[in-house]
Amino acid sequence: MSDPMRPRASLRTAVVWEVLKEALDRRAKATGREALDVLDTGGGSGNFAVPLAALGHRVTVVDPSPNALFALERRAAEAGVAERVQGVQGDVLGLFDVVERGGYDAVLCHGVLEYVEDPAEGVRNAVDALRPEGALSLLAAGLGGAVLSRALAGHFTEAHHALFDPAGRWGAGDPVPHRFTAEQLTELVGGAGATAGSVHGVRVFADLVPGVLVDTEPGALDALLKLEAAAAELPAFHAVATQLHVLGEKRG
């Protein structure tokens, strides 16, 4: 799957796209259906949904923001995939008020768990929306990345606070309610009735490298993308990633 947001934003999404595409390809082969039913919880304006629809999949986006859903509709129309994208207002904690239980081959839950009151319930709902052996793509804020970022900015007390805070917050002014370790995310997936598969660190280096270097140095972007991809699967780098991606599969 080519990343439609290249060049700069690809640093933030390239690893997730590659893992997601492979999971969908496996699911399509297993079901014998080229067009899968995909649910994108918190999918906003369609950064993932529209490209997935362009591949031929049917995508339902659930998001609480009317403005985001309006942007999704416009974006899908411009891409010529409006008939394969449906936007529904709602959120992951009230998921089954707006979509059917057990109706999807894949569920994306990207950038959602950080902001819900009960992350465990959010993951349970995402898994319950899957058909047996369906794929779960879970992307959430990583604890280690926040600690490293605050320390490098000279906010050592805040970095120390985040390191030991149960929710991974660096203080009262922290805009992110929850951050997670790879172990916490895989436990949430397992507790929700799915088997956690691969874990990838996302934005291991991208948020630390000066933007001007990536934008002006010849070949820097491609080299950094390769470095991100190489480090993503190594557990040693999960501890410092800005985000963590867990791929799960609903138990049959």
Side-chain angles (χ1 to χ4, degrees), residues 191-218:
T195 300
S198 63
V199 178
H200 290 81
V202 179
R203 293 156 58 189
V204 175
F205 307 104
D207 292 350
L208 304 177
V209 175
V212 64
L213 173 63
V214 177
D215 292 335
T216 61
E217 186 72 20

Side-chain angles (χ1 to χ4, degrees), residues 126-232:
V127 172
D128 286 348
L130 285 167
R131 293 168 178 150
E133 299 180 355
L136 172 68
S137 178
L138 184 64
L139 181 68
L143 169 63
V147 174
L148 183 61
S149 175
R150 300 315 288 176
L152 291 177
H155 303 298
F156 306 123
T157 299
E158 292 178 349
H160 186 272
H161 189 280
L163 188 60
F164 295 100
D165 183 74
R169 290 167 55 81
W170 48 255
D174 192 336
V176 179
H178 302 278
R179 292 188 181 87
F180 305 89
T181 64
E183 291 74 19
Q184 288 171 334
L185 289 177
T186 55
E187 286 175 6
L188 286 174
V189 171
T195 300
S198 63
V199 178
H200 290 81
V202 179
R203 293 156 58 189
V204 175
F205 307 104
D207 292 350
L208 304 177
V209 175
V212 64
L213 173 63
V214 177
D215 292 335
T216 61
E217 186 72 20
L221 176 63
D222 287 337
L224 183 53
L225 280 167
K226 290 178 182 178
L227 179 61
E228 287 278 355

Side-chain angles (χ1 to χ4, degrees), residues 5 38-52 59-77 85-92 95 108-112 115:
M5 296 170 288
V38 180
L39 175 65
D40 188 354
T41 64
S45 61
N47 286 346
F48 282 85
V50 170
L52 287 174
V59 188
T60 299
V61 175
V62 175
D63 197 280
S65 168
N67 290 337
L69 293 175
F70 178 76
L72 168 70
E73 182 179 355
R74 183 176 65 246
R75 188 173 187 174
V85 177
Q86 177 187 16
V88 182
Q89 189 171 2
D91 60 52
V92 72
L95 194 57
L108 281 59
C109 187
H110 295 173
V112 172
Y115 300 101

Side-chain angles (χ1 to χ4, degrees), residues 24 27 31 33-40 56-60 84 100 103-108 129-131 134-135:
L24 292 176
R27 182 64 178 158
T31 61
R33 291 184 284 110
E34 291 185 4
L36 300 177
D37 296 304
V38 180
L39 175 65
D40 188 354
H57 302 303
R58 296 176 293 270
V59 188
T60 299
R84 292 195 292 275
E100 68 172 304
Y104 298 91
D105 297 293
V107 173
L108 281 59
L130 285 167
R131 293 168 178 150

